[in-house]
Structure formats: structure tokens, C-alpha cells
Amino acid sequence: MDNKFYKINIYGCQMNVHESEKIAGILEEMGYTFTNDDNLADIIVFNTCCIRENAENSLIGHVGALKPLKKKKKGLIIAVGGCMTQQNGVGESLMKTFPFVDVVFGTHNLHNFKNLLENRIKTGKRVIEIKEGDLSICESITPKRTSYPNAWVNVMYGCNNFCTYCIVPYVRGREKSRMPSDVINEVKSLINEGYKEITLLGQNVDSYGKTADFNYDFADLITEIDKIEGDYRLRFMSNHPKDVNEKLVLAVKNSKHVCRSIHLPVQSGSTKILALMNRKYTREEYLEKVNLIRRHIPECAITSDVMVGFPNETEEDFLDTVDLVKQASFDGAFTFVYSKRKGTKAYDMDGHIDEAVKKDRIMRLVDVQNAINREKSKKYNGKTVTILCEDYDDKKGFYQGRDEFGRMIYFYSNKNLIGEFVDVTVVETGGISLKGEIKG
Ligand code: SAH
Ligand code: SF4
Ligand code: F3S
């Protein structure tokens, strides 16, 4: 039989990247081989995201661009899945807009993806399956991991927080935690296979176990995983500031493998806006959490997500955000312009902000964070740090890796060091990424 090829186009967050590894696992089991070339592919999958409007727009453009190829290659199968299709009515309207799309599936339909494809192939009929309601966790899919030495492991799915700007709870459903033993066994085998950095994933890892019928929280989970012997690092994301507590911080502090690095999305520095966002903490309470972390682990990196332009955000509210960003002195921050998402509470709020004002605010915010990054970079000058070599950058001709605080460092080596912990001395500091030389 001829080789059959698949390609996956991935949008959105780390969760989606990992989910795409599961899709790849299913396809490989069905006998497909990976390709990066649309022309070679027998099946092209889009794993979509709808967190912001531009994520959706780029997806629509990319699917549309396949029309001529599909005309030329009748057997080509195009499948669209993920968060975007799970929104109210969007899956159906994608089927209408793109008559050449063969399979549309929701975020809860991954375990059935093989059947959907087989149906399409057998019957020649287009298939759509979008399951509403609770997710049933499927432990039987073996992901095809593509990021050695890094590996991602879900600890939970879904979100119960309903931040008023956010579409995730609507497209990913309610929180569901995996059994501790399933998570621990997966991490164990990854370490045995030689993976060096394991990142535990959840929309809000701190609520791990809260809605489950076992009495075991996230701090317990990382403490247990940390006992696994081996040369590896453990990370996790994301944290919700309302749920970060001393037990978790101490678990990080007392561990051997957990990186001293915590992603703590703040969103806004204005208590008024935080309330409108339904974040369940005030500006002061957030800064308290930052203090809690730095009190126990002074060197801990804290990174964040910050948003501008939420409805009713005044210049004063924005300046509160800028002030908080300076005060917290983040080791890195993802900055976002608020994007209206149909179906969320904020969509129907009054007081939406002008695009030009949003643009101005994001530029000012980015400047502030860049200045902090530069200051922090300077402190690296001349320092020797241990990094995990993760990749080789063809264009730059450098290997690259991150220290435990998440800082990317580029360095030259004449031998392949991917997957090894390497000591490098930082010789050049620019923006957020640094250049180093191998020690010795
Ligand atoms: N569950 C994680 C990640 C959520 S999505 C968390 O709570 O941290 C990642 C980030 O996207 C969010 O932290 C938020 O800053 C941003 N985001 C979510 N919805 C958005 C929207 N409608 N417009 C702009 N940014 C948004
Ligand atoms: Fe969205 Fe808030 Fe849940 Fe994060 S915690 S996924 S921002 S609703
Ligand atoms: Fe992630 Fe986008 Fe869905 S951020 S959870 S892929 S909406």
C-alpha cells in the first residue's frame, strides 16, 4: 500500500499543541505519516482556537486557501476541530461556508476522531460531531510527541472560572481532573523514555482535584511526582491567583525538580476591572500572592498575562495596570488586547473601548515590560547558568535552551546537545533572549 500522509495546522495554546500530538497519535496508528507539505498530504487537520478574533480570522483564511488544492486532489480529506468549532453554531456554519471541508469535530470528540475519519472514507459523506456537556476523559490515546526533550501532560481539562472575557469555559466545558495515578504514571514513563522537561497542563492547575472524588490537590500531585528519580525538570501552567496558596509555594520550594518559575496571570491592575472580569481577587490580593511567592522563594521567576482595553477600562485603570506590572516586576509577560467574544458576559457589557485607545495602551504596556526585560537581562551578564538544550535554530546557527526561570539562551556548539543540561556563561544581553558560551 502507498504511504498516506497527514499534516496538522495548530492554533492557540499549549493545550492545543498537546491535543494535536494526540491527533497525530491517532493518525499514525491509522497508518498515516507526518508531512509538512500540503501537496503531499492525504489529510489536513486544523486544530483551531477562538480565544481572540484574530485567531479565528487566520483559521478562516487558511482553510479557504485549500479550496484549489481540494479541487485538484479529490481524495484529500480536510478536518477542522478544536475550540472554534465547539462554539454555538460555529461548527455548522463552517460546514456551510466551506463545502469542501470533510470532517468537523468538537473539543470533546477527540476519542472518536478515528471513527469519524473512517466514516468519511467509507461512506464518502461529510461528517460533523460536536458533543455538548461534560467531557469523558479518554486515557487510551497515545500522543505522538514532537518536542523532545519537552513533554506535556494534561492534569485537568476545562475551566469553571468564567472570567467574563473568556470563551474557554464555553468551548472546553467544566473542570475535570485526571486520576493522580494516571498523571504520575504518564510522567514516570516519560522520564524513563528520556524526556527532560515535563510541563503539567491545565487551565487552572491549582483547582486540580477540587471537583473530583479524590482528596488530593495540586501541591500533593507535584510533591508526589517530584519523588520520581531522574535528571529532569517539572513545570506547570496556568495558575489562578485566587487559588495559589502557601502549600503550593512550599511544595515548589521544597522540591528537587520543580522549576522556580510560576506563571501567574494578573490580567489587570485595577480592582474595578478585575471585578468586572470576575477574577475573584483585588489588586492588593494579587500583589499579596506575588509577595507570598517571593517571601518563600526570593529568586522565583514570576510571569504573567496582562490585558488592556477591557470594557470600561479608563486611563486611570490602565495606569493601575502599568503600575502593577512595574511593582510585580514580571520576568516576562504576554500582553493582549481585549477581544470581544460572542457568548461571553463581557460581550454584552456597555463601555467597549475604542480600537485606537486599545492600540495606544498596548504599545505603552509593551514598552514598560520590555524595559523590565532589559533590566533583568543585564543581571545575567557574565553569569553561568544551567540550561536545558531544546533545539537548534537553523537560521541563527545556534542551539537554544532555557534556564529554570524560563529565560532563553542561544549558544554555539559543534556537537548536538539537544536533550542535555548544559552550563553556559552569558556573554551578550539584548532583549528577552540572551547569548551564551559553553563553560570550560
Ligand atoms: N487558563 C489560562 C489561560 C487562558 S487563555 C489562564 O487563565 O491563565 C490565555 C490568556 O489569553 C489569558 O490569560 C488572557 O490574558 C488572554 N485572553 C483570554 N480571553 C481573551 C480575550 N477575549 N481577549 C484578549 N485576551 C484574552
Ligand atoms: Fe479563561 Fe479565566 Fe478559565 Fe483562564 S481561568 S481559561 S482566563 S475563564
Ligand atoms: Fe487554548 Fe484557544 Fe482553546 S487558547 S483552550 S485553543 S480557545
Side-chain angles (χ1 to χ4, degrees), residues 357-372:
V357 174
K358 287 187 193 170
K359 221 180 191 171
D360 173 63
R361 288 183 187 160
I362 191 79
M363 276 160 41
R364 285 152 70 200
L365 178 66
V366 167
D367 279 348
V368 170
Q369 184 57 43
N370 281 347
I372 297 172

Side-chain angles (χ1 to χ4, degrees), residues 93-298:
S93 79
L94 276 171
M95 290 286 273
K96 276 199 204 112
T97 317
F98 299 114
F100 56 91
V101 165
D102 300 276
V103 180
V104 169
F105 60 106
T107 54
H108 292 182
N109 304 88
L110 204 61
H111 58 284
N112 202 30
F113 184 57
K114 184 177 172 204
N115 284 337
L116 298 179
L117 270 186
E118 284 175 347
N119 266 349
R120 170 68 183 91
I121 293 164
K122 237 187 274 157
T123 66
K125 284 197 187 119
R126 303 170 76 207
V127 200
I128 175 164
E129 188 179 87
I130 294 162
K131 183 178 172 279
E132 308 269 335
D134 279 353
L135 168 82
S136 19
I137 293 182
C138 176
E139 294 291 353
S140 61
I141 304 173
T142 309
K144 161 124 195 329
R145 299 189 183 271
T146 48
S147 299
Y148 176 84
N150 298 325
W152 291 284
V153 173
N154 287 112
V155 298
M156 57 192 302
Y157 302 89
C159 182
N160 287 358
N161 289 314
F162 289 96
C163 303
T164 55
Y165 50 81
C166 185
I167 193 79
V168 171
Y170 302 93
V171 295
R172 290 278 175 173
R174 296 294 65 73
E175 279 175 13
K176 270 258 167 95
S177 298
R178 287 177 73 193
M179 291 296 292
S181 55
D182 286 330
V183 177
I184 294 164
N185 288 337
E186 186 175 350
V187 174
K188 237 181 227 163
S189 41
L190 288 168
I191 293 166
N192 283 338
E193 285 166 40
Y195 285 91
K196 294 289 157 53
E197 187 171 295
I198 316 288
T199 304
L200 305 177
L201 293 177
Q203 295 297 348
N204 172 15
V205 289
D206 309 301
S207 56
Y208 177 76
K210 277 190 186 163
T211 55
D213 51 11
F214 49 79
N215 193 10
Y216 198 81
D217 67 16
F218 189 64
D220 296 328
L221 184 68
I222 56 175
T223 304
E224 194 58 34
I225 292 176
D226 187 57
K227 290 181 191 154
I228 303 171
E229 305 261 337
D231 199 14
Y232 67 93
R233 282 176 180 169
L234 194 64
R235 295 185 190 275
F236 51 84
M237 60 187 272
S238 275
N239 299 86
H240 196 304
K242 76 177 163 64
D243 297 318
V244 166
N245 57 25
E246 195 161 28
K247 183 177 173 188
L248 175 79
V249 177
L250 289 175
V252 173
K253 179 183 172 151
N254 297 327
S255 73
K256 198 170 148 203
H257 299 98
V258 182
C259 293
R260 287 165 294 172
S261 177
I262 294 181
H263 187 59
L264 197 66
V266 64
Q267 313 300 353
S268 169
S270 150
T271 295
K272 178 194 99 187
I273 296 296
L274 288 169
L276 288 174
M277 288 175 163
N278 191 31
R279 288 292 288 179
K280 302 186 182 87
Y281 54 84
T282 62
R283 168 193 176 87
E284 288 72 27
E285 283 163 347
Y286 180 86
L287 288 168
E288 248 324 289
K289 298 288 162 117
V290 170
N291 282 341
L292 172 73
I293 297 168
R294 296 219 165 114
R295 202 162 59 238
H296 286 296
I297 320 173

